[in-house]
């Protein structure tokens, strides 16, 4: 692992544990480097945060693409669930982003939604996901629902998030939501298309006015 990657990984863990305002000297100590080396590699706290955001987004992208995008999607999902504890620092980092709010979170969510459009399109081509009338809107709703549910269950109201305890919480949380989520995605909640048909007709009529 490169020094840059070691610093980035240490920052993700430290920010997840103590919040996004955690001092860079603590990150440096965790990574076994000097604070000056962080500045050398990333330029500033903002540069380090940008690198952390990019890495977390990449991991989410790979995770979702592997789960939805191919004929072995079910097996990929189960394999990832078996290793969910390994995602604890990344989930902790996202929890801290949700806590902090602001423009950086907005940019992060925008990128999550943009990525979701792409991997959902790949899943459509693989025959695992139905096409959408509005792929961008569907992707954003799915992202916002997922993050909103996570925020409601936020185990990091305190100043310090216990990363050793977080894997247990993640396992419990996943086991609780997996059945209803898969039901909602696989077996439609509504028994017919009456509401959808009425909405589409109303919207089409509004567009013609």
């Amino acid at each position: 692992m490169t020094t840059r990657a070691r610093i980035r990984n240490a920052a993700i863990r430290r920010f997840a544990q103590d919040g996004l305002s955690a001092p860079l000297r603590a990150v440096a100590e965790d990574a076994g480097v000097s604070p000056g080396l962080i500045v050398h590699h990333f330029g500033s706290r903002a540069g380090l945060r940008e690198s952390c955001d990019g890495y977390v987004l990449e991991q989410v992208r790979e995770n979702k693409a592997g789960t939805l995008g191919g004929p072995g999607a079910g097996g990929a999902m189960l394999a990832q669930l078996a290793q969910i504890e390994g995602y604890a620092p990344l989930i902790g980092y996202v929890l801290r982003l949700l806590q902090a709010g602001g423009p950086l979170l907005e940019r992060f969510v925008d990128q999550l939604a943009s990525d979701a459009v792409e991997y959902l399109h790949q899943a459509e081509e693989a025959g695992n996901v139905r096409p959408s009338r509005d792929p961008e809107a569907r992707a954003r709703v799915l992202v916002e629902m997922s993050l909103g549910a996570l925020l409601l269950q936020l185990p990091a109201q305190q100043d310090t998030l216990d990363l050793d305890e977080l894997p247990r919480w993640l396992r419990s949380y996943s086991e609780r939501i997996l059945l209803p989520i898969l039901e909602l995605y696989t077996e439609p909640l509504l028994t017919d298309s009456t509401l959808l048909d009425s909405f589409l007709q109303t919207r089409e009529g509004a567009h013609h006015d």
Side-chain angles (χ1 to χ4, degrees):
M1 181 184 297
T2 66
T3 300
R4 182 182 175 88
R6 191 168 77 249
I7 294 171
R8 179 205 63 214
N9 290 351
I12 288 173
R13 289 189 62 87
R14 177 57 62 177
F15 289 149
Q17 179 177 304
D18 295 340
L20 301 180
S21 61
L24 292 186
R25 64 178 180 275
V27 174
E29 183 176 345
D30 293 344
V33 301
S34 68
L37 198 58
I38 294 179
V39 175
H40 170 74
H41 280 285
F42 298 97
S44 63
R45 172 186 291 273
L48 178 60
R49 278 287 317 282
E50 184 176 351
S51 178
C52 292
D53 285 4
Y55 180 76
V56 172
L57 286 166
E58 178 186 350
Q59 296 305 304
V60 172
R61 189 182 306 121
E62 291 180 0
N63 177 294
K64 294 297 185 181
T67 301
L68 295 172
M77 180 187 70
L78 294 175
Q80 288 164 355
L81 284 175
Q83 302 176 42
I84 194 168
E85 288 83 357
Y87 295 113
L90 304 183
I91 298 297
Y93 184 83
V94 173
L95 287 173
R96 292 303 192 183
L97 278 173
L98 294 172
Q99 272 188 320
L104 292 177
L105 174 62
E106 292 178 11
R107 186 177 67 181
F108 187 84
V109 173
D110 286 344
Q111 189 58 58
L112 279 176
S114 177
D115 290 343
V117 172
E118 179 59 30
Y119 59 68
L120 285 168
H121 176 68
Q122 293 173 3
E124 288 177 17
E125 292 186 330
N128 296 327
V129 168
R130 298 179 188 276
S132 171
R133 295 171 180 82
D134 190 337
E136 289 77 14
R138 177 179 67 177
R140 178 163 286 275
V141 166
L142 288 173
V143 166
E144 291 175 350
M145 287 171 58
S146 177
L147 293 178
L150 195 61
L151 182 59
L152 285 173
Q153 301 300 320
L154 185 67
Q157 301 292 351
Q158 63 276 18
D159 291 337
T160 300
L161 176 62
D162 187 346
L163 293 185
D164 292 329
E165 177 65 14
L166 187 57
R168 185 202 63 78
W169 178 85
L170 278 173
R171 172 66 63 182
S172 175
Y173 176 69
S174 297
E175 289 175 351
R176 182 169 62 81
I177 70 168
L178 189 57
L179 175 60
I181 286 293
L182 289 176
E183 277 187 344
L184 286 170
Y185 288 170
T186 308
E187 303 169 351
L189 180 66
L190 301 176
T191 58
D192 62 47
S193 64
T194 300
L195 289 177
L196 176 61
D197 293 341
S198 296
F199 169 76
L200 292 174
Q201 289 173 3
T202 301
R203 186 173 68 172
E204 183 177 354
H207 288 166
H208 285 115
D209 289 343

